[in-house]
PDB file of all heavy atoms in Angstrom:
ATOM      1  N   LEU A   1      -4.509 -43.635  26.918  1.00 98.00           N
ATOM      2  CA  LEU A   1      -3.110 -43.381  26.619  1.00 98.00           C
ATOM      3  C   LEU A   1      -2.764 -42.191  25.855  1.00 98.00           C
ATOM      4  O   LEU A   1      -2.073 -41.327  26.177  1.00 98.00           O
ATOM      5  CB  LEU A   1      -2.520 -44.595  26.004  1.00 98.00           C
ATOM      6  CG  LEU A   1      -1.064 -44.432  25.434  1.00 98.00           C
ATOM      7  CD1 LEU A   1      -0.016 -44.327  26.541  1.00 98.00           C
ATOM      8  CD2 LEU A   1      -0.647 -45.640  24.501  1.00 98.00           C
ATOM      9  N   ILE A   2      -3.631 -41.947  24.784  1.00 99.00           N
ATOM     10  CA  ILE A   2      -3.479 -40.886  23.917  1.00 99.00           C
ATOM     11  C   ILE A   2      -3.897 -39.624  24.636  1.00 99.00           C
ATOM     12  O   ILE A   2      -3.233 -38.508  24.642  1.00 99.00           O
ATOM     13  CB  ILE A   2      -4.353 -41.007  22.691  1.00 99.00           C
ATOM     14  CG1 ILE A   2      -3.963 -42.291  21.794  1.00 99.00           C
ATOM     15  CG2 ILE A   2      -4.363 -39.812  21.786  1.00 99.00           C
ATOM     16  CD1 ILE A   2      -2.564 -42.291  21.361  1.00 99.00           C
ATOM     17  N   ALA A   3      -4.987 -39.576  25.429  1.00 98.00           N
ATOM     18  CA  ALA A   3      -5.388 -38.460  26.220  1.00 98.00           C
ATOM     19  C   ALA A   3      -4.306 -38.035  27.104  1.00 98.00           C
ATOM     20  O   ALA A   3      -3.959 -36.807  27.200  1.00 98.00           O
ATOM     21  CB  ALA A   3      -6.606 -38.746  26.909  1.00 98.00           C
ATOM     22  N   GLU A   4      -3.518 -38.915  27.845  1.00 98.00           N
ATOM     23  CA  GLU A   4      -2.548 -38.554  28.720  1.00 98.00           C
ATOM     24  C   GLU A   4      -1.337 -38.046  28.183  1.00 98.00           C
ATOM     25  O   GLU A   4      -0.840 -36.981  28.561  1.00 98.00           O
ATOM     26  CB  GLU A   4      -2.146 -39.895  29.521  1.00 98.00           C
ATOM     27  CG  GLU A   4      -3.149 -40.353  30.524  1.00 98.00           C
ATOM     28  CD  GLU A   4      -2.914 -41.766  31.075  1.00 98.00           C
ATOM     29  OE1 GLU A   4      -1.855 -42.402  30.606  1.00 98.00           O
ATOM     30  OE2 GLU A   4      -3.625 -42.239  32.024  1.00 98.00           O
ATOM     31  N   ARG A   5      -0.951 -38.624  26.969  1.00 98.00           N
ATOM     32  CA  ARG A   5       0.260 -38.121  26.279  1.00 98.00           C
ATOM     33  C   ARG A   5       0.144 -36.809  25.556  1.00 98.00           C
ATOM     34  O   ARG A   5       1.110 -36.126  25.258  1.00 98.00           O
ATOM     35  CB  ARG A   5       0.779 -39.189  25.372  1.00 98.00           C
ATOM     36  CG  ARG A   5       1.127 -40.550  26.056  1.00 98.00           C
ATOM     37  CD  ARG A   5       2.234 -40.323  27.128  1.00 98.00           C
ATOM     38  NE  ARG A   5       2.834 -41.524  27.695  1.00 98.00           N
ATOM     39  CZ  ARG A   5       3.772 -42.184  27.212  1.00 98.00           C
ATOM     40  NH1 ARG A   5       4.416 -41.872  26.168  1.00 98.00           N
ATOM     41  NH2 ARG A   5       4.086 -43.341  27.890  1.00 98.00           N
ATOM     42  N   PHE A   6      -1.099 -36.534  25.080  1.00 98.00           N
ATOM     43  CA  PHE A   6      -1.293 -35.357  24.323  1.00 98.00           C
ATOM     44  C   PHE A   6      -2.220 -34.275  25.012  1.00 98.00           C
ATOM     45  O   PHE A   6      -2.640 -33.316  24.380  1.00 98.00           O
ATOM     46  CB  PHE A   6      -1.979 -35.717  22.988  1.00 98.00           C
ATOM     47  CG  PHE A   6      -1.072 -36.540  22.175  1.00 98.00           C
ATOM     48  CD1 PHE A   6      -1.194 -37.882  22.019  1.00 98.00           C
ATOM     49  CD2 PHE A   6      -0.034 -35.943  21.365  1.00 98.00           C
ATOM     50  CE1 PHE A   6      -0.373 -38.681  21.326  1.00 98.00           C
ATOM     51  CE2 PHE A   6       0.925 -36.780  20.604  1.00 98.00           C
ATOM     52  CZ  PHE A   6       0.762 -38.188  20.633  1.00 98.00           C
ATOM     53  N   SER A   7      -2.314 -34.557  26.313  1.00 98.00           N
ATOM     54  CA  SER A   7      -3.114 -33.554  27.073  1.00 98.00           C
ATOM     55  C   SER A   7      -2.522 -32.066  26.993  1.00 98.00           C
ATOM     56  O   SER A   7      -1.346 -31.882  27.056  1.00 98.00           O
ATOM     57  CB  SER A   7      -3.135 -33.970  28.555  1.00 98.00           C
ATOM     58  OG  SER A   7      -3.937 -33.249  29.350  1.00 98.00           O
ATOM     59  N   GLY A   8      -3.419 -31.234  26.801  1.00 97.00           N
ATOM     60  CA  GLY A   8      -3.050 -29.814  26.687  1.00 97.00           C
ATOM     61  C   GLY A   8      -2.635 -29.369  25.130  1.00 97.00           C
ATOM     62  O   GLY A   8      -2.616 -28.147  24.846  1.00 97.00           O
ATOM     63  N   ARG A   9      -2.416 -30.368  24.376  1.00 98.00           N
ATOM     64  CA  ARG A   9      -2.045 -29.994  23.077  1.00 98.00           C
ATOM     65  C   ARG A   9      -3.094 -30.384  22.002  1.00 98.00           C
ATOM     66  O   ARG A   9      -3.305 -29.706  21.173  1.00 98.00           O
ATOM     67  CB  ARG A   9      -0.599 -30.784  22.624  1.00 98.00           C
ATOM     68  CG  ARG A   9       0.503 -30.256  23.476  1.00 98.00           C
ATOM     69  CD  ARG A   9       1.805 -30.915  22.999  1.00 98.00           C
ATOM     70  NE  ARG A   9       1.903 -32.399  23.385  1.00 98.00           N
ATOM     71  CZ  ARG A   9       2.684 -33.323  22.903  1.00 98.00           C
ATOM     72  NH1 ARG A   9       3.578 -32.969  21.909  1.00 98.00           N
ATOM     73  NH2 ARG A   9       2.616 -34.550  23.317  1.00 98.00           N
ATOM     74  N   VAL A  10      -3.676 -31.515  22.252  1.00 98.00           N
ATOM     75  CA  VAL A  10      -4.769 -31.974  21.369  1.00 98.00           C
ATOM     76  C   VAL A  10      -6.008 -31.718  22.162  1.00 98.00           C
ATOM     77  O   VAL A  10      -6.295 -32.292  23.269  1.00 98.00           O
ATOM     78  CB  VAL A  10      -4.637 -33.507  20.927  1.00 98.00           C
ATOM     79  CG1 VAL A  10      -5.877 -33.853  20.159  1.00 98.00           C
ATOM     80  CG2 VAL A  10      -3.420 -33.660  20.153  1.00 98.00           C
ATOM     81  N   LYS A  11      -7.029 -31.021  21.679  1.00 98.00           N
ATOM     82  CA  LYS A  11      -8.178 -30.553  22.270  1.00 98.00           C
ATOM     83  C   LYS A  11      -9.420 -31.006  21.575  1.00 98.00           C
ATOM     84  O   LYS A  11     -10.600 -30.719  21.914  1.00 98.00           O
ATOM     85  CB  LYS A  11      -8.186 -29.054  22.446  1.00 98.00           C
ATOM     86  CG  LYS A  11      -6.971 -28.547  23.322  1.00 98.00           C
ATOM     87  CD  LYS A  11      -7.054 -27.104  23.338  1.00 98.00           C
ATOM     88  CE  LYS A  11      -5.815 -26.598  24.224  1.00 98.00           C
ATOM     89  NZ  LYS A  11      -5.741 -25.106  24.383  1.00 98.00           N
ATOM     90  N   HIS A  12      -9.192 -31.650  20.353  1.00 98.00           N
ATOM     91  CA  HIS A  12     -10.410 -32.134  19.513  1.00 98.00           C
ATOM     92  C   HIS A  12     -10.116 -33.636  19.102  1.00 98.00           C
ATOM     93  O   HIS A  12      -9.085 -33.809  18.566  1.00 98.00           O
ATOM     94  CB  HIS A  12     -10.723 -31.271  18.366  1.00 98.00           C
ATOM     95  CG  HIS A  12     -11.050 -29.827  18.561  1.00 98.00           C
ATOM     96  ND1 HIS A  12     -10.115 -28.933  18.862  1.00 98.00           N
ATOM     97  CD2 HIS A  12     -12.116 -29.272  18.714  1.00 98.00           C
ATOM     98  CE1 HIS A  12     -10.677 -27.719  19.126  1.00 98.00           C
ATOM     99  NE2 HIS A  12     -12.006 -27.901  19.026  1.00 98.00           N
ATOM    100  N   TYR A  13     -11.115 -34.466  19.522  1.00 99.00           N
ATOM    101  CA  TYR A  13     -11.050 -35.800  19.070  1.00 99.00           C
ATOM    102  C   TYR A  13     -12.250 -36.413  18.314  1.00 99.00           C
ATOM    103  O   TYR A  13     -13.343 -35.893  18.757  1.00 99.00           O
ATOM    104  CB  TYR A  13     -10.949 -36.684  20.443  1.00 99.00           C
ATOM    105  CG  TYR A  13      -9.546 -36.612  21.029  1.00 99.00           C
ATOM    106  CD1 TYR A  13      -9.234 -35.685  22.074  1.00 99.00           C
ATOM    107  CD2 TYR A  13      -8.452 -37.327  20.602  1.00 99.00           C
ATOM    108  CE1 TYR A  13      -7.980 -35.572  22.729  1.00 99.00           C
ATOM    109  CE2 TYR A  13      -7.193 -37.197  21.179  1.00 99.00           C
ATOM    110  CZ  TYR A  13      -6.919 -36.328  22.255  1.00 99.00           C
ATOM    111  OH  TYR A  13      -5.818 -36.261  22.885  1.00 99.00           O
ATOM    112  N   PHE A  14     -11.958 -37.192  17.468  1.00 99.00           N
ATOM    113  CA  PHE A  14     -13.074 -38.051  16.834  1.00 99.00           C
ATOM    114  C   PHE A  14     -12.741 -39.563  17.365  1.00 99.00           C
ATOM    115  O   PHE A  14     -11.596 -39.912  17.228  1.00 99.00           O
ATOM    116  CB  PHE A  14     -13.024 -38.033  15.388  1.00 99.00           C
ATOM    117  CG  PHE A  14     -13.318 -36.683  14.779  1.00 99.00           C
ATOM    118  CD1 PHE A  14     -12.272 -35.813  14.571  1.00 99.00           C
ATOM    119  CD2 PHE A  14     -14.606 -36.163  14.651  1.00 99.00           C
ATOM    120  CE1 PHE A  14     -12.456 -34.600  13.875  1.00 99.00           C
ATOM    121  CE2 PHE A  14     -14.896 -34.870  14.226  1.00 99.00           C
ATOM    122  CZ  PHE A  14     -13.845 -34.077  13.833  1.00 99.00           C
ATOM    123  N   THR A  15     -13.749 -40.251  17.877  1.00 99.00           N
ATOM    124  CA  THR A  15     -13.485 -41.676  18.259  1.00 99.00           C
ATOM    125  C   THR A  15     -13.363 -42.564  17.212  1.00 99.00           C
ATOM    126  O   THR A  15     -12.166 -43.192  17.019  1.00 99.00           O
ATOM    127  CB  THR A  15     -14.589 -42.097  19.283  1.00 99.00           C
ATOM    128  OG1 THR A  15     -15.920 -41.991  18.536  1.00 99.00           O
ATOM    129  CG2 THR A  15     -14.577 -41.239  20.573  1.00 99.00           C
ATOM    130  N   ILE A  16     -14.331 -42.779  16.344  1.00 99.00           N
ATOM    131  CA  ILE A  16     -14.333 -43.757  15.283  1.00 99.00           C
ATOM    132  C   ILE A  16     -14.809 -43.227  14.054  1.00 99.00           C
ATOM    133  O   ILE A  16     -15.805 -42.440  14.038  1.00 99.00           O
ATOM    134  CB  ILE A  16     -15.249 -44.918  15.837  1.00 99.00           C
ATOM    135  CG1 ILE A  16     -14.621 -45.673  16.988  1.00 99.00           C
ATOM    136  CG2 ILE A  16     -15.379 -46.031  14.577  1.00 99.00           C
ATOM    137  CD1 ILE A  16     -15.548 -46.707  17.617  1.00 99.00           C
ATOM    138  N   ASN A  17     -14.010 -43.456  13.015  1.00 98.00           N
ATOM    139  CA  ASN A  17     -14.370 -42.991  11.699  1.00 98.00           C
ATOM    140  C   ASN A  17     -15.244 -44.042  10.894  1.00 98.00           C
ATOM    141  O   ASN A  17     -14.800 -45.248  10.800  1.00 98.00           O
ATOM    142  CB  ASN A  17     -13.065 -42.876  10.813  1.00 98.00           C
ATOM    143  CG  ASN A  17     -13.345 -42.215   9.417  1.00 98.00           C
ATOM    144  OD1 ASN A  17     -13.762 -41.242   9.220  1.00 98.00           O
ATOM    145  ND2 ASN A  17     -13.282 -43.192   8.427  1.00 98.00           N
ATOM    146  N   GLU A  18     -16.366 -43.585  10.429  1.00 98.00           N
ATOM    147  CA  GLU A  18     -17.252 -44.444   9.596  1.00 98.00           C
ATOM    148  C   GLU A  18     -17.437 -45.771  10.143  1.00 98.00           C
ATOM    149  O   GLU A  18     -17.003 -46.896   9.515  1.00 98.00           O
ATOM    150  CB  GLU A  18     -16.642 -44.551   8.151  1.00 98.00           C
ATOM    151  CG  GLU A  18     -16.635 -43.132   7.482  1.00 98.00           C
ATOM    152  CD  GLU A  18     -16.170 -43.139   6.114  1.00 98.00           C
ATOM    153  OE1 GLU A  18     -15.589 -44.252   5.592  1.00 98.00           O
ATOM    154  OE2 GLU A  18     -16.536 -42.207   5.337  1.00 98.00           O
ATOM    155  N   PRO A  19     -18.195 -45.896  11.279  1.00 98.00           N
ATOM    156  CA  PRO A  19     -18.383 -47.249  11.800  1.00 98.00           C
ATOM    157  C   PRO A  19     -19.220 -48.177  10.818  1.00 98.00           C
ATOM    158  O   PRO A  19     -19.140 -49.395  10.893  1.00 98.00           O
ATOM    159  CB  PRO A  19     -19.305 -47.017  13.035  1.00 98.00           C
ATOM    160  CG  PRO A  19     -19.843 -45.578  12.848  1.00 98.00           C
ATOM    161  CD  PRO A  19     -18.746 -44.927  12.042  1.00 98.00           C
ATOM    162  N   GLN A  20     -20.015 -47.556   9.888  1.00 98.00           N
ATOM    163  CA  GLN A  20     -20.597 -48.249   8.898  1.00 98.00           C
ATOM    164  C   GLN A  20     -19.631 -49.137   8.052  1.00 98.00           C
ATOM    165  O   GLN A  20     -19.993 -50.330   7.778  1.00 98.00           O
ATOM    166  CB  GLN A  20     -21.430 -47.309   8.004  1.00 98.00           C
ATOM    167  CG  GLN A  20     -22.578 -46.552   8.663  1.00 98.00           C
ATOM    168  CD  GLN A  20     -22.146 -45.229   9.258  1.00 98.00           C
ATOM    169  OE1 GLN A  20     -20.942 -44.971   9.400  1.00 98.00           O
ATOM    170  NE2 GLN A  20     -23.016 -44.353   9.623  1.00 98.00           N
ATOM    171  N   CYS A  21     -18.582 -48.468   7.629  1.00 98.00           N
ATOM    172  CA  CYS A  21     -17.474 -49.139   6.897  1.00 98.00           C
ATOM    173  C   CYS A  21     -16.862 -50.270   7.723  1.00 98.00           C
ATOM    174  O   CYS A  21     -16.634 -51.342   7.223  1.00 98.00           O
ATOM    175  CB  CYS A  21     -16.549 -48.263   6.304  1.00 98.00           C
ATOM    176  SG  CYS A  21     -17.131 -47.170   5.084  1.00 98.00           S
ATOM    177  N   VAL A  22     -16.584 -49.984   8.938  1.00 98.00           N
ATOM    178  CA  VAL A  22     -15.991 -50.883   9.792  1.00 98.00           C
ATOM    179  C   VAL A  22     -16.739 -52.178   9.868  1.00 98.00           C
ATOM    180  O   VAL A  22     -16.312 -53.329   9.693  1.00 98.00           O
ATOM    181  CB  VAL A  22     -15.754 -50.371  11.201  1.00 98.00           C
ATOM    182  CG1 VAL A  22     -15.275 -51.456  12.133  1.00 98.00           C
ATOM    183  CG2 VAL A  22     -14.892 -49.093  11.099  1.00 98.00           C
ATOM    184  N   SER A  23     -18.097 -52.012  10.017  1.00 98.00           N
ATOM    185  CA  SER A  23     -18.981 -53.222  10.217  1.00 98.00           C
ATOM    186  C   SER A  23     -19.372 -53.801   8.926  1.00 98.00           C
ATOM    187  O   SER A  23     -19.429 -55.122   8.834  1.00 98.00           O
ATOM    188  CB  SER A  23     -20.164 -52.707  11.177  1.00 98.00           C
ATOM    189  OG  SER A  23     -20.886 -51.750  10.641  1.00 98.00           O
ATOM    190  N   VAL A  24     -19.937 -52.985   8.106  1.00 98.00           N
ATOM    191  CA  VAL A  24     -20.525 -53.560   6.876  1.00 98.00           C
ATOM    192  C   VAL A  24     -19.370 -54.062   5.866  1.00 98.00           C
ATOM    193  O   VAL A  24     -19.419 -55.279   5.347  1.00 98.00           O
ATOM    194  CB  VAL A  24     -21.416 -52.534   6.072  1.00 98.00           C
ATOM    195  CG1 VAL A  24     -21.888 -53.226   4.829  1.00 98.00           C
ATOM    196  CG2 VAL A  24     -22.573 -52.161   6.994  1.00 98.00           C
ATOM    197  N   LEU A  25     -18.403 -53.295   5.508  1.00 98.00           N
ATOM    198  CA  LEU A  25     -17.505 -53.631   4.575  1.00 98.00           C
ATOM    199  C   LEU A  25     -16.447 -54.561   5.247  1.00 98.00           C
ATOM    200  O   LEU A  25     -15.944 -55.440   4.607  1.00 98.00           O
ATOM    201  CB  LEU A  25     -16.801 -52.441   4.038  1.00 98.00           C
ATOM    202  CG  LEU A  25     -17.623 -51.365   3.419  1.00 98.00           C
ATOM    203  CD1 LEU A  25     -16.669 -50.307   2.775  1.00 98.00           C
ATOM    204  CD2 LEU A  25     -18.343 -51.998   2.209  1.00 98.00           C
ATOM    205  N   GLY A  26     -16.207 -54.506   6.557  1.00 98.00           N
ATOM    206  CA  GLY A  26     -15.182 -55.462   7.167  1.00 98.00           C
ATOM    207  C   GLY A  26     -15.803 -56.801   7.492  1.00 98.00           C
ATOM    208  O   GLY A  26     -15.042 -57.735   7.571  1.00 98.00           O
ATOM    209  N   TYR A  27     -17.089 -56.759   7.945  1.00 98.00           N
ATOM    210  CA  TYR A  27     -17.629 -58.065   8.348  1.00 98.00           C
ATOM    211  C   TYR A  27     -18.951 -58.597   7.720  1.00 98.00           C
ATOM    212  O   TYR A  27     -19.430 -59.661   8.145  1.00 98.00           O
ATOM    213  CB  TYR A  27     -17.969 -57.826   9.958  1.00 98.00           C
ATOM    214  CG  TYR A  27     -16.655 -57.645  10.745  1.00 98.00           C
ATOM    215  CD1 TYR A  27     -16.169 -56.373  11.017  1.00 98.00           C
ATOM    216  CD2 TYR A  27     -16.050 -58.748  11.303  1.00 98.00           C
ATOM    217  CE1 TYR A  27     -15.027 -56.247  11.849  1.00 98.00           C
ATOM    218  CE2 TYR A  27     -14.995 -58.552  12.222  1.00 98.00           C
ATOM    219  CZ  TYR A  27     -14.407 -57.311  12.334  1.00 98.00           C
ATOM    220  OH  TYR A  27     -13.299 -57.135  13.212  1.00 98.00           O
TER     221      TYR A  27
END
């Protein structure tokens, strides 16, 4: 969805920020 809506305008993406925090601190 994000790629379709921002195509041509956003050219750099990061998928997930700090998966270590997501998994260790969250779970």
Side-chain angles (χ1 to χ4, degrees):
L1 172 67
I2 297 303
E4 289 169 355
R5 295 302 184 93
F6 296 100
S7 187
R9 292 184 291 165
V10 175
K11 300 177 182 179
H12 296 83
Y13 287 97
F14 300 95
T15 55
I16 297 174
N17 180 79
E18 296 184 342
Q20 296 89 343
C21 293
V22 175
S23 55
V24 177
L25 299 184
Y27 291 88

